[in-house]
Amino acid sequence: MWLGPEGVLVANALWVTERANPFFVLQRRRGHGKGGGLTGLLVGTLDVVLDSSARVAPYRILHQTQDSQVYWTVACGSSRKEITKHWEWLENNLLQTLSIFDNEEDITTFVKGKIHGIIAEENKNLQPQGDEDPGKFKEAELKMRKQFGMPEGEKLVNYYSCSYWKGRVPRQGWLYLTVNHLCFYSFLLGKEVSLVVQWVDVTRLEKNATLLFPESIRVDTRDQELFFSMFLNIGETFKLMEQLANLAMRQLLDSEGFLEDKALPRPIRPHKNISALKRDLDARAKNECYRATFRLPKDERLDGHTGCTLWTPFNKLHIPGQMFISNNYICFASKEEDACRLIIPLREVTIVEKADSSSVLPSPLSISTKSKMTFLFANLKDRDFLVQRISDFLQKTPSKQSGGSIGDMKASIVDPARESLPAPQEALDLPTSPSSPLSCPLSFSAQEVPTASQGLLKVFQRNSPMEDLGAKGAKERMKEESWNIHFFEYGRGMCMYRTAKTRELVLKGIPESLRGELWLLFSGAWNEMVTHPGYYAELVEKSTGKYSLATEEIERDLHRSMPEHPAFQNELGIAALRRVLTAYAFRNPTIGYCQAMNIVTSVLLLYGSEEEAFWLLVALCERMLPDYYNTRVVGALVDQGIFEELTRDILPQLSEKMQDLGVISSISLSWFLTLFLSVMPFESAVVIVDCFFYEGIRVVLQVALAVLDANMEQLLDCSDEGEAMTVLGRYLDNVVNKQSVSPPIPHLHALLTSGDEPPAEVDIFDLLKVSYEKFSSLRANDIEQMRFKQRLKVIQSLEDTAKRSVVRAIPGDIGFSIEELEDLYMVFKAKHLASQYWGGSRTAAVHRDPSLPYLEQYRIDGSQFRELFTSLIPWACGSHTSVLAGRMFRLLDQNKDSLINFKEFVTGMSSMYHGDLTEKLKALYKLHLPPALIPEEAESALEATHYFTEDSSSEVPTEALPQEQQEGSGSKDAQEKRGTGCSCAGVRAKRRRGPALLTIDTTFECGPRRKRLRKRPLRTFPR
């Protein structure tokens, strides 16, 4: 590459001159290329160990004049070919011009100006479309591609100096982290180490510290264990490696490749060593954390956050924390975990006011909402900029959204020193909470049904007064009164202050009259429901009458969904459940329908309308329980792995026993998939669902650990898996809710008993209390870290299962051994994944469907097959390799969809590797006949068939001839009876200039007989 001229005083230190003329010198750095001795080894090692900004390219060109002691660098190159190109350009374009000058200073000035002009022109032509990466980073990316042979499509995310431990010896070098690969290069005293690992092959990634490897990162694949240490910032490196490995696992799970975020704003002051991709990944991580913390929709993007204080009227304090601003929300989280959390949708904001600053309350900002709540923030570092950002987002807030509004309100920005600035839109009122009288949902069909406006529990439950329920009724009224007091002090709806007091009330039980409302708020489903009016009704209309595999499975499971509950013993409840499940399958065909969704959805329908149940199901499947309900229940398996890991850490003695019995994997999957609804009495399990919507998966793990802990003594005495499952089943069957005001519902889960003693009852609130007292040390961040670790293990285990299934599906007579088939499968899979890395528009990448059978999931197109054919073919085909590859692909592609699966690929490879000579010749012969031939080639082949004599032409198998040649020909059996049947033929053709003459030398083998036709020229035919 051309360089801006820089002065060099000592030109020959550590450099060897290879070419020279009166004005320029081409030099090679010692330690590169052949020779160099000890000095070369030291220089080469130094170049690798030094930081990228200090390293130099192995070749350079200097400008010199005869009397000057100063040299000027004008170009450098990482290869001899690159530097030679620059040298030849200088000789051809500048030498003759420079010889005209008399003054050496004029020569140097001219050369500098010319080089600067070339650089400016190149930069103009190579202007990037998006964010421009720093120059040093581009240099490192270029070196990475050349060092490891990566194509242009492989993007470097970041690179780090570190040591790779090879045995007990550390090799200092550079770790390059790309979107799809982990690469390492080291050159130390003549010893070169080069590693390339695909992220999709990583089975374990963890940060640990041992005596041998102090504070290192361990990367495991199926074949090797790699250790890297001596990082400048090991935390940043490991976090980035986690993100890239997660992207790779997502690619294996649902075929989603990495797509760069083009809408990412450019930084005001770009960092010199951070690439656009690194910023993109950092922004993604922050967005995911932000959405998970405040249960926001999946498309919400964090704009920024700042430190501040929030005035909390319920305890008259200014609570320090962080304010977060995104497209549609203003959120606050206190530094102390449970002190306060707040979510303010911008659709609710009416006034944003900058109040007067004081020593007690510096830089205050007041935000008022439609629900007559005012929130006071203070200690804001850049209040004016913050207000401007909020104003910009308010202007973009949709101006019209249905929801039963009764009037218009203007959102405005108020500054005490200026007039109020009304926002340009006049937003219609949206309901502020699910309990609002304005929030009556619209009918989803022309024919109104009860479930369109209320939950099934209200439809089927007898409205008996609370006085008739005695102590239970009094307890329920106390709960309702406690919540009403909480609403008065902390607010009601989405803008409610969420504190430790809120958690206490949830743990004491949510009243049945408020359960649906609070589920919607705590899960975040209310935000999506109110911003998508009519969406559910539209889905129901579109999905009605549509048939698919999902609808078939739904129909099969409808009558298995809480059949003991009166609401699902008639067509009204069944029809509502059918509409919700079918609408979701239509919304998200990737998930479609999975067993256990019917049980969860039936409970949601009891406490909410169909539309509310639908949006709660969306929150569960897509945010709160990610990947739980796909075809392979990966999310549930991941959390089951976390449960086993926690059991090992917290209950080690019991864990060892349970592993011996193989119980945990058998019992816990249903616990997670149905949130205990299928294994515990309904009125008890629904209390766990209350806590789940507020706390997330953490509470399910805590309760599961508490169940094992409560039964530890009995489980340790168990002798087999059946006995252990009986113990746990009896325990869960007898977890009761003595405060429930609903009529008791028979629990159809088999009541497992042993012995004559009736099992002791366990109160669900006591179980929850114990779970929080003993296992509350779990944190959301810890769970996410464990999820990453288990996700690697689960997905790679599923990939190994898929490989074994595919290999078993290959016929035994294919010729390859099991080990060879597994190796071929890995090569085939890698080629398919490459289409997702660097060719997102390719057919194979577009058509991958994880729901297909394993054999059909990975397929390759013609160009990918050509690459594999070239590298694996045992025949030396020379320049005809690509032609034969194309013909072989067309021959294998029997369904003509321009894709072949692994079975078809192995069949083609087997025909070339295995079988006797006759079979191989037969395979080669088929490549010269349709369908392997394209129409143009088939026409020439038809001309060639006229060469044969009448006897020999009949020896060609009729099924190998074109259709028009089969008419009137005898059957193959008849030919074999005449003794003229033939199994193979080899053809060699040569075309000459002028009138085309085709010379053919054919050999037919028919058992022991062998017949050779003499060479003879064919008649001429048009070119």
Side-chain angles (χ1 to χ4, degrees):
M1 58 185 296
W2 298 106
L3 301 174
E6 295 182 1
V8 177
L9 293 177
V10 183
N12 293 319
L14 306 181
W15 292 87
V16 178
T17 299
E18 294 199 337
R19 294 190 186 182
N21 59 44
F23 302 105
F24 299 100
V25 177
L26 189 155
Q27 294 184 328
R28 172 178 57 83
R29 190 162 176 83
R30 296 182 186 274
H32 294 272
K34 297 181 180 180
L38 181 59
T39 304
L41 288 177
L42 293 174
V43 174
T45 301
L46 185 66
D47 288 345
V48 172
V49 173
L50 285 178
D51 180 74
S52 177
S53 60
R55 282 182 290 166
V56 291
Y59 298 94
R60 70 179 182 181
I61 297 176
L62 304 178
H63 164 62
Q64 64 170 0
T65 54
Q66 186 174 0
D67 298 330
S68 175
Q69 299 297 319
V70 179
Y71 291 77
W72 300 89
T73 57
V74 295
C76 69
S78 57
S79 66
R80 186 180 297 275
K81 180 179 179 181
E82 180 185 5
I83 202 67
T84 301
K85 181 180 177 182
H86 289 335
W87 178 263
E88 291 176 350
W89 188 92
L90 292 172
E91 285 189 328
N92 296 332
N93 294 276
L94 287 189
L95 281 186
Q96 188 174 358
T97 304
L98 295 179
S99 63
I100 300 174
F101 288 91
D102 295 329
N103 192 328
E104 292 185 353
E105 291 184 3
D106 292 342
I107 293 176
T108 301
T109 303
F110 179 81
V111 169
K112 288 181 179 180
K114 191 66 176 178
I115 298 301
H116 282 302
I118 294 173
I119 294 173
E121 188 66 25
E122 285 185 348
N123 291 340
K124 180 180 178 182
N125 294 335
L126 298 176
Q127 187 68 29
Q129 298 297 321
D131 293 308
E132 184 175 359
D133 291 329
K136 292 297 181 182
F137 187 89
K138 285 183 175 293
E139 178 186 344
E141 185 174 48
L142 181 63
K143 291 180 179 179
M144 178 274 298
R145 288 180 184 156
K146 291 187 177 182
Q147 183 66 50
F148 303 103
M150 297 292 178
E152 287 289 330
E154 184 67 354
K155 301 294 185 181
L156 178 65
V157 181
N158 213 347
Y159 59 99
Y160 302 93
S161 173
C162 68
S163 291
Y164 161 63
W165 290 80
K166 190 172 184 180
R168 295 178 178 269
V169 180
R171 302 297 182 111
Q172 184 68 25
W174 287 88
L175 181 71
Y176 298 90
L177 304 181
T178 73
V179 173
N180 303 297
H181 297 84
L182 177 152
C183 308
F184 177 83
Y185 179 77
S186 171
F187 182 87
L188 191 64
L189 298 178
K191 299 292 185 180
E192 186 179 51
V193 176
S194 182
L195 297 172
V196 178
V197 176
Q198 293 187 75
W199 289 117
V200 292
D201 292 334
V202 174
T203 59
R204 182 177 181 181
L205 178 64
E206 62 183 19
K207 182 171 61 174
N208 52 25
T210 63
L211 293 176
L212 184 60
F213 306 116
E215 201 173 27
S216 62
I217 294 177
R218 176 177 178 176
V219 182
D220 287 5
T221 66
R222 292 176 178 84
D223 306 320
Q224 54 187 341
E225 297 178 0
L226 308 175
F227 290 88
F228 301 94
S229 64
M230 300 184 188
F231 291 93
L232 185 62
N233 189 339
I234 191 170
E236 175 193 331
T237 309
F238 183 71
K239 183 179 178 181
L240 180 57
M241 294 170 77
E242 272 190 331
Q243 289 178 281
L244 295 171
N246 250 329
L247 288 173
M249 294 305 104
R250 175 59 56 186
Q251 189 178 43
L252 289 177
L253 184 59
D254 54 19
S255 191
E256 285 187 5
F258 176 78
L259 295 175
E260 189 175 352
D261 187 358
K262 300 297 184 182
L264 189 68
R266 295 174 67 101
I268 299 175
R269 297 176 180 175
H271 195 284
K272 64 179 182 179
N273 288 326
I274 296 182
S275 67
L277 282 179
K278 178 67 165 58
R279 291 198 304 110
D280 187 347
L281 288 171
D282 289 343
R284 288 177 187 230
K286 290 179 180 179
N287 285 333
E288 289 173 3
C289 182
Y290 171 62
R291 290 191 294 260
T293 301
F294 299 103
R295 305 278 171 79
L296 300 178
K298 294 182 70 174
D299 57 352
E300 197 64 22
R301 298 155 65 97
L302 179 64
D303 186 71
H305 59 91
T306 182
C308 67
T309 59
L310 172 66
W311 168 254
T312 51
F314 51 85
N315 59 3
K316 306 295 188 293
L317 292 175
H318 291 280
I319 297 180
Q322 288 277 324
M323 175 192 282
F324 302 85
I325 298 178
S326 59
N327 310 42
N328 302 293
Y329 298 89
I330 299 173
C331 301
F332 174 85
S334 59
K335 289 184 177 180
E336 187 181 347
E337 184 179 3
D338 293 330
C340 183
R341 188 169 292 171
L342 180 66
I343 303 170
I344 307 174
L346 290 182
R347 63 178 182 270
E348 301 287 338
V349 174
T350 56
I351 297 175
V352 179
E353 181 179 6
K354 293 189 289 185
D356 292 327
S357 295
S358 66
S359 58
V360 178
L361 202 63
S363 303
L365 180 66
S366 172
I367 299 177
S368 301
T369 66
K370 298 174 186 177
S371 57
K372 310 303 180 184
M373 296 182 70
T374 300
F375 304 97
L376 184 62
F377 298 91
N379 292 284
L380 294 164
K381 295 181 179 178
D382 195 345
R383 185 178 60 169
D384 292 338
F385 177 75
L386 181 66
V387 169
Q388 183 60 48
R389 293 302 294 164
I390 296 175
S391 176
D392 293 341
F393 288 133
L394 281 172
Q395 292 179 13
K396 297 175 184 178
T397 302
S399 59
K400 291 185 179 181
Q401 299 194 52
S402 61
S405 63
I406 58 175
D408 294 342
M409 300 186 74
K410 294 183 179 180
S412 60
I413 311 298
V414 179
D415 189 328
R418 297 181 296 172
E419 297 179 359
S420 64
L421 301 175
Q425 88 284 0
E426 295 186 359
L428 293 177
D429 281 344
L430 289 172
T432 57
S433 77
S435 65
S436 171
L438 308 178
S439 63
C440 295
L442 301 176
S443 173
F444 53 79
S445 64
Q447 183 179 4
E448 181 72 30
V449 294
T451 52
S453 58
Q454 58 185 333
L456 287 169
L457 208 59
K458 293 182 180 179
V459 176
F460 288 92
Q461 194 175 40
R462 301 289 182 265
N463 294 322
S464 56
M466 285 291 182
E467 291 76 9
D468 297 345
L469 296 175
K472 289 185 177 180
K475 186 71 173 178
E476 188 75 1
R477 285 197 306 272
M478 290 177 59
K479 289 183 183 179
E480 291 178 353
E481 186 62 26
S482 297
W483 276 100
N484 287 330
I485 295 172
H486 184 273
F487 291 148
F488 179 78
E489 294 182 356
Y490 296 85
R492 185 168 188 171
M494 190 54 65
C495 298
M496 174 175 60
Y497 293 97
R498 306 178 193 205
T499 66
K501 178 67 175 177
T502 312
R503 173 186 288 171
E504 290 177 14
L505 287 177
V506 172
L507 289 177
K508 290 178 180 178
I510 297 177
E512 296 214 345
S513 59
L514 297 174
R515 184 162 276 142
E517 172 188 346
L518 294 176
W519 283 2
L520 285 168
L521 291 178
F522 295 151
S523 67
W526 175 248
N527 285 322
E528 294 187 282
M529 177 177 164
V530 78
T531 54
H532 293 83
Y535 178 77
Y536 172 68
E538 182 182 349
L539 280 181
V540 170
E541 183 179 354
K542 288 181 179 179
S543 61
T544 301
K546 298 292 178 62
Y547 176 82
S548 65
L549 180 61
T551 58
E552 181 182 348
E553 294 175 346
I554 289 170
E555 289 297 326
R556 188 168 59 245
D557 286 348
L558 281 177
H559 295 279
R560 306 174 187 172
S561 309
M562 294 188 68
E564 67 274 17
H565 198 286
F568 298 99
Q569 294 172 357
N570 63 83
E571 186 54 32
L572 179 62
I574 295 295
L577 182 59
R578 178 187 293 113
R579 283 190 291 270
V580 173
L581 290 174
T582 305
Y584 185 78
F586 198 80
R587 164 191 166 89
N588 192 342
T590 303
I591 292 178
Y593 171 77
C594 174
Q595 284 188 342
M597 286 174 66
N598 59 321
I599 297 175
V600 175
T601 307
S602 60
V603 174
L604 301 179
L605 278 168
L606 290 175
Y607 295 99
S609 66
E610 286 187 35
E611 186 174 13
E612 291 169 348
F614 170 79
W615 286 110
L616 282 168
L617 184 62
V618 170
L620 276 174
C621 296
E622 298 177 11
R623 290 189 284 108
M624 299 189 72
L625 296 175
D627 303 321
Y628 258 59
Y629 300 106
N630 56 26
T631 54
R632 297 187 280 183
V633 293
V634 171
L637 292 173
V638 168
D639 285 347
Q640 178 181 281
I642 293 176
F643 178 50
E644 294 183 14
E645 184 178 347
L646 290 172
T647 306
R648 284 194 299 270
D649 295 341
I650 301 174
L651 307 170
Q653 185 179 1
L654 180 60
S655 172
E656 185 177 349
K657 178 71 174 181
M658 298 289 277
Q659 290 295 333
D660 293 340
L661 298 177
V663 175
I664 290 185
S665 59
S666 303
I667 61 173
S668 58
L669 192 60
S670 61
W671 297 1
F672 293 105
L673 278 173
T674 65
L675 304 176
F676 287 96
L677 288 166
S678 64
V679 296
M680 197 180 283
F682 165 73
E683 59 272 11
S684 302
V686 79
V687 178
I688 296 179
V689 178
D690 292 342
C691 299
F692 166 76
F693 278 121
Y694 189 80
E695 295 275 21
I697 194 63
R698 164 187 170 184
V699 72
V700 180
L701 292 168
Q702 289 179 182
V703 171
L705 289 169
V707 169
L708 292 185
D709 184 57
N711 293 275
M712 182 181 295
E713 292 184 4
Q714 297 181 61
L715 289 173
L716 290 174
D717 293 336
C718 291
S719 57
D720 56 38
E721 179 183 0
E723 187 178 353
M725 293 183 68
T726 300
V727 169
L728 293 172
R730 292 179 70 242
Y731 180 86
L732 292 171
D733 277 335
N734 290 278
V735 176
V736 298
N737 181 2
K738 298 178 181 179
Q739 301 177 13
S740 175
V741 295
S742 298
I745 300 171
H747 183 41
L748 295 187
H749 182 263
L751 184 60
L752 302 171
T753 58
S754 61
D756 298 330
E757 294 184 7
E761 289 185 344
V762 180
D763 189 88
I764 181 62
F765 294 102
D766 292 339
L767 179 62
L768 279 172
K769 183 180 178 181
V770 170
S771 73
Y772 274 86
E773 288 175 350
K774 290 190 174 182
F775 311 110
S776 61
S777 59
L778 285 176
R779 292 290 179 267
N781 292 337
D782 299 332
I783 292 174
E784 285 304 314
Q785 187 69 35
M786 287 188 286
R787 271 182 168 172
F788 165 74
K789 179 180 177 181
Q790 294 297 329
R791 191 179 294 116
L792 286 179
K793 186 184 299 183
V794 168
I795 293 181
Q796 295 295 8
S797 175
L798 291 173
E799 288 295 309
D800 291 340
T801 301
K803 178 175 67 175
R804 289 191 294 269
S805 299
V806 170
V807 169
R808 282 198 302 267
I810 304 300
D813 59 352
I814 205 69
F816 291 109
S817 66
I818 297 296
E819 292 76 14
E820 290 173 333
L821 286 173
E822 290 181 348
D823 291 341
L824 282 173
Y825 176 81
M826 297 306 295
V827 172
F828 185 87
K829 173 184 169 183
K831 184 58 64 177
H832 167 89
L833 292 175
S835 67
Q836 295 178 307
Y837 296 164
W838 308 311
S841 61
R842 298 175 78 162
T843 309
V846 174
H847 284 79
R848 193 224 165 176
D849 184 358
S851 64
L852 289 174
Y854 290 133
L855 190 60
E856 296 291 332
Q857 286 189 18
Y858 295 117
R859 298 185 290 175
I860 59 176
D861 58 23
S863 60
Q864 294 170 300
F865 176 80
R866 187 177 298 112
E867 295 170 6
L868 288 179
F869 184 88
T870 303
S871 60
L872 296 175
I873 184 174
W875 302 339
C877 303
S879 60
H880 303 292
T881 302
S882 60
V883 176
L884 287 180
R887 293 183 181 183
M888 177 67 80
F889 181 82
R890 289 189 291 272
L891 187 66
L892 298 174
D893 183 20
Q894 297 181 0
N895 59 358
K896 307 302 179 187
D897 64 348
S898 299
L899 294 170
I900 62 171
N901 61 29
F902 180 67
K903 183 178 180 180
E904 294 166 335
F905 170 74
V906 171
T907 302
M909 290 294 104
S910 179
S911 66
M912 294 183 290
Y913 273 94
H914 301 287
D916 56 17
L917 181 61
T918 300
E919 293 297 323
K920 293 179 180 179
L921 287 173
K922 184 176 181 180
L924 182 61
Y925 182 64
K926 286 182 178 180
L927 297 181
H928 294 78
L929 298 171
L933 294 182
I934 58 177
E936 293 78 7
E937 295 174 328
E939 185 177 348
S940 299
L942 182 61
E943 289 284 347
T945 60
H946 294 303
Y947 162 76
F948 295 102
T949 62
E950 183 176 355
D951 290 338
S952 61
S953 63
S954 66
E955 295 173 351
V956 180
T958 57
E959 69 272 10
L961 290 175
Q963 182 66 33
E964 60 268 21
Q965 292 298 307
Q966 294 185 26
E967 298 179 0
S969 63
S971 68
K972 184 176 180 181
D973 292 340
Q975 293 170 4
E976 289 178 350
K977 288 180 181 178
R978 293 196 301 267
T980 59
C982 179
S983 61
C984 63
V987 181
R988 183 176 71 247
K990 182 188 298 181
R991 296 192 62 176
R992 300 171 181 167
R993 303 187 65 85
L997 290 175
L998 187 66
T999 301
I1000 295 183
D1001 183 9
T1002 59
T1003 301
F1004 297 94
E1005 289 192 4
C1006 306
R1009 294 171 47 192
R1010 182 179 180 91
K1011 178 180 178 182
R1012 177 177 296 275
L1013 298 180
R1014 61 186 177 82
K1015 291 185 180 180
R1016 51 184 294 186
L1018 278 178
R1019 63 181 176 83
T1020 61
F1021 55 92
R1023 183 175 299 278

